[in-house]
Amino acid sequence: MKPNKLREKYSSKFGFCGNMTMVSYVPKKGKAVVLLSTMHDDTAVDDQSVKRKPEVIQYYNHTKSGVDTMDQMVRTYTCKRRTRRWPMVLWHNVLDVATLNAFTSYTAQHPGYIGGVTNARRLVIKELGKELVMPHMRRRMEGTSHLQTHITEAMERCGLKKVSAATTQPQEGQVKRKRCKICPTAKDRKAISWCSKFTSPVCKEHKHVVVICESCMH
């Protein structure tokens, strides 16, 4: 049943087990198409055609063309990457099929959505990807005080702006504590106060309170 270069082109081999029929068809040299059916129980072949296709394959082509159409549409915009881990192969296929199903279902209910463009599915997939990663990017931006510049710029291109340091620095009394920026690492002195200029944690020894009157404050 497997591909074999010795097999003749347009030849077929059949195998039977109970109510199951397996056929192996050679469309070209060194290739083989294998199908399993419970609806067929003979070795019927179309002798009128040059390709001599088995009846099982003809029935599949007549009734299951939507599967091939889906595979073709998935290949146009796919997230698949080369990998040796078979769970990732399945996961990539799940994402591709789910994305196509979501696009088909939504456009069927909203015919006017993104009309007049030839790459509507590409735009939808791009927007869907941004919506999926946005919570993770927002959590990373809020939970990390110092991000590399190229990471911040990439997040901004996706529409996520970095909040100013004045609003993101923890207030005194909050539970979150970090090591003092000035103290030696060996001391491992924790601090709950943050420098308003450099947004760095500082302990009581290294922090300075600035006294200002109410008149100057306004």
Side-chain angles (χ1 to χ4, degrees):
M1 294 294 178
K2 294 182 178 180
N4 193 331
K5 294 183 178 180
L6 300 178
R7 291 182 59 183
E8 182 183 352
K9 187 178 180 181
Y10 302 143
S11 63
S12 301
K13 285 188 177 182
F14 293 85
F16 302 93
C17 180
N19 65 335
M20 295 182 294
T21 300
M22 179 178 287
V23 58
S24 175
Y25 175 70
V26 182
K28 59 177 64 177
K29 207 71 172 178
K31 301 290 183 180
V33 177
V34 182
L35 278 82
L36 183 68
S37 174
T38 57
M39 296 183 60
H40 303 80
D41 54 3
D42 53 19
T43 60
V45 176
D46 184 11
D47 294 326
Q48 304 297 326
S49 175
V50 178
K51 295 184 177 181
R52 303 196 304 274
K53 290 184 178 180
E55 184 180 341
V56 179
I57 293 182
Q58 289 183 326
Y59 180 82
Y60 174 86
N61 293 339
H62 181 69
T63 59
K64 302 296 189 295
S65 58
V67 177
D68 297 329
T69 303
M70 184 200 69
D71 291 338
Q72 181 181 2
M73 295 180 67
V74 164
R75 282 195 298 268
T76 305
Y77 301 111
T78 178
C79 66
K80 291 181 180 178
R81 295 294 182 269
R82 184 184 297 274
T83 177
R84 295 184 178 182
R85 295 183 294 167
W86 67 265
M88 293 303 299
V89 177
L90 295 179
W91 174 240
H92 290 159
N93 187 69
V94 168
L95 287 179
D96 286 339
V97 175
T99 304
L100 177 60
N101 289 344
F103 172 77
T104 305
S105 176
Y106 190 83
T107 51
Q109 299 178 22
H110 306 81
Y113 179 69
I114 314 185
V117 296
T118 58
N119 61 338
R121 192 157 69 92
R122 177 180 179 275
L123 299 177
V124 171
I125 293 175
K126 183 178 179 180
E127 186 66 23
L128 176 62
K130 288 175 60 178
E131 291 295 330
L132 290 175
V133 302
M134 191 64 70
H136 303 282
M137 290 195 300
R138 186 176 292 109
R139 184 174 63 249
R140 186 177 183 185
M141 179 171 285
E142 294 175 355
T144 308
S145 57
H146 299 287
L147 284 173
Q148 297 182 12
T149 305
H150 71 277
I151 297 178
T152 306
E153 292 175 352
M155 291 181 176
E156 291 178 353
R157 286 195 297 269
C158 293
L160 188 62
K161 299 293 183 181
K162 186 173 180 61
V163 186
S164 61
T167 59
T168 57
Q169 63 182 13
Q171 301 296 325
E172 189 168 345
Q174 289 185 343
V175 180
K176 192 166 186 177
R177 295 156 57 91
K178 287 194 173 183
R179 184 183 296 117
C180 177
K181 183 76 174 180
I182 303 175
C183 291
T185 307
K187 284 189 176 182
D188 194 25
R189 184 178 291 172
K190 302 298 182 182
I192 58 175
S193 301
W194 289 63
C195 177
S196 59
K197 185 175 181 181
F198 298 104
T199 66
S200 302
V202 289
C203 63
K204 293 182 179 180
E205 180 182 347
H206 296 107
K207 77 174 183 179
H208 300 278
V209 179
V210 178
V211 179
I212 183 172
C213 68
E214 185 175 353
S215 300
C216 295
M217 183 180 299
H218 299 289

